Amino acid sequence: MDKLNDWGAIAKEYAEKFIDYLPTLIGAIVLLIVGLWVIGIIVKYVDKLFQKKDYDKTLEVFTLNAIRWGLRIILFVLVITQLGVESASLVAAIGAAGLAIGLAMQGSLSNLAGGVLIIVLKPFKVGDWIEAQGISGTVVEVTLFYTKLDTFGNQRAVIPNGELSNDNIINYSYNGTRKENLSFGISYDDDLKKAKEVLRNLVEEQEDVLKDPAPQIIVSELGADSVNFSVRYFAENSKFWDLHWYMIEEGKIRLEEAGMTIPYPQRDVYLYDQTKMNGTIEKRSKNNGANSAD
């Protein structure tokens, strides 16, 4: 009976404490619900502001997530404080947890920092053709931790932002145009001026070749086997590759039609009769021996 009375007294004590604490708990729950509702309204309002202007999509997603999670952290602190936890102890606990998480996730935090730098500095955007980390492709998505590319072979490449932000990046789409530098070689016996005229006419006929800056057809090298021409011109990014393939094929065809020879590396090979060489060596040895005897 004494034990039952003790349990009853304990239950009564805790029931009284719960009743006393109930308003605080209800207040914290109400604060949580209202806070989440207000955060949703704020995020939707900011999202509408972004929709009214043509902002970068990656920047929009990053800003919305930063606002959402920043406000949630503030709300969490307010709710915990409402429940009676001292703010100083809470801040210390969050700091210790943050330090432990930071040490355990150094690589991920490096990628996060790299993602923030890419979003803020904007070395490229979605749709740009870039080359980085030995990979070339079209940027399809930039997240906080990774950048995704579609390569020329239609393969998806995922590059960590930490490595991407600390390495060289070539953005082929940034200026809107690209400069071509094709090389054509002819034989030393061919007519130099005629070949140059053929290549100039080919370039001038192409509507997709930009007139400004003006194209150039120059003799770039007197090679070991050929005289090499450099055909240089600018074209828009959207038309660059189609023009590139066409110019290579059509350039070869027109040079050949004009009587030019497309040279290739050659080597002169000399064959010696080994038996005659051995006989010559033996004859020389005998002569040398006779001279020594004298």
Side-chain angles (χ1 to χ4, degrees):
M1 291 296 295
D2 293 337
K3 290 185 177 180
L4 291 177
N5 291 332
D6 292 340
W7 282 108
I10 293 172
K12 182 178 180 181
E13 180 181 356
Y14 277 99
E16 291 176 353
K17 290 182 177 180
F18 177 76
I19 293 173
D20 294 337
Y21 189 71
L22 189 59
T24 302
L25 180 61
I26 294 175
I29 294 174
V30 172
L31 178 62
L32 177 63
I33 295 173
V34 173
L36 292 174
W37 177 69
V38 172
I39 291 173
I41 293 176
I42 294 174
V43 171
K44 288 181 179 179
Y45 177 74
V46 175
D47 188 28
K48 288 181 179 180
L49 292 178
F50 279 126
Q51 299 302 325
K52 291 180 180 179
K53 296 185 179 181
D54 188 19
Y55 290 103
D56 182 71
K57 188 64 179 177
T58 306
L59 180 61
E60 293 180 18
V61 174
F62 171 75
T63 304
L64 290 175
N65 286 334
I67 293 174
R68 181 183 293 111
W69 286 104
L71 292 177
R72 285 178 178 178
I73 292 174
I74 295 174
L75 177 62
F76 172 76
V77 173
L78 292 176
V79 171
I80 294 299
T81 304
Q82 175 67 23
L83 291 175
V85 178
E86 294 183 3
S87 58
S89 301
L90 180 62
V91 170
I94 293 176
L99 178 61
I101 294 173
L103 293 175
M105 301 178 63
Q106 292 183 22
S108 296
L109 291 177
S110 175
N111 292 335
L112 175 61
V116 173
L117 288 175
I118 290 172
I119 291 170
V120 173
L121 300 179
K122 296 182 181 179
F124 54 82
K125 63 180 184 299
V126 173
D128 285 351
W129 181 276
I130 68 170
E131 179 180 345
Q133 294 290 310
I135 300 173
S136 298
T138 302
V139 180
V140 294
E141 185 180 1
V142 181
T143 67
L144 287 178
F145 294 94
Y146 299 97
T147 295
K148 301 178 182 179
L149 308 179
D150 278 347
T151 66
F152 187 78
N154 198 31
Q155 300 158 326
R156 177 62 57 87
V158 181
I159 305 176
N161 286 335
E163 299 178 5
L164 187 60
S165 63
N166 290 317
D167 200 1
N168 297 326
I169 301 173
I170 301 176
N171 189 338
Y172 291 98
S173 303
Y174 185 83
N175 292 321
T177 60
R178 288 183 63 177
K179 185 178 182 179
E180 181 62 277
N181 185 14
L182 296 176
S183 180
F184 294 94
I186 63 172
S187 172
Y188 274 91
D189 297 329
D190 292 335
D191 189 334
L192 186 69
K193 293 184 178 180
K194 186 177 180 180
K196 190 172 184 179
E197 182 180 357
V198 169
L199 293 174
R200 180 183 292 107
N201 291 336
L202 174 61
V203 173
E204 291 176 351
E205 290 174 8
Q206 309 309 312
E207 296 180 356
D208 294 335
V209 173
L210 299 179
K211 306 303 179 184
D212 186 23
Q216 292 179 311
I217 295 88
I218 60 174
V219 177
S220 60
E221 182 185 16
L222 299 177
D225 305 293
S226 63
V227 179
N228 297 324
F229 286 91
S230 179
V231 179
R232 305 174 182 179
Y233 59 83
F234 283 84
E236 294 180 2
N237 290 330
S238 59
K239 302 174 181 178
F240 178 85
W241 286 111
D242 289 338
L243 189 59
H244 173 85
W245 307 128
Y246 175 80
M247 291 291 289
I248 293 176
E249 179 179 352
E250 190 66 15
K252 180 179 184 299
I253 293 173
R254 294 202 184 188
L255 287 173
E256 290 178 343
E257 289 177 348
M260 305 297 154
T261 303
I262 307 297
Y264 50 88
Q266 301 182 25
R267 295 292 182 271
D268 293 333
V269 179
Y270 298 92
L271 300 178
Y272 297 94
D273 190 338
Q274 191 68 29
T275 58
K276 292 183 178 180
M277 292 181 64
N278 291 337
T280 301
I281 293 173
E282 290 177 359
K283 186 177 180 180
R284 290 178 178 175
S285 298
K286 289 179 180 180
N287 293 333
N288 292 334
N291 294 332
S292 298
D294 294 342

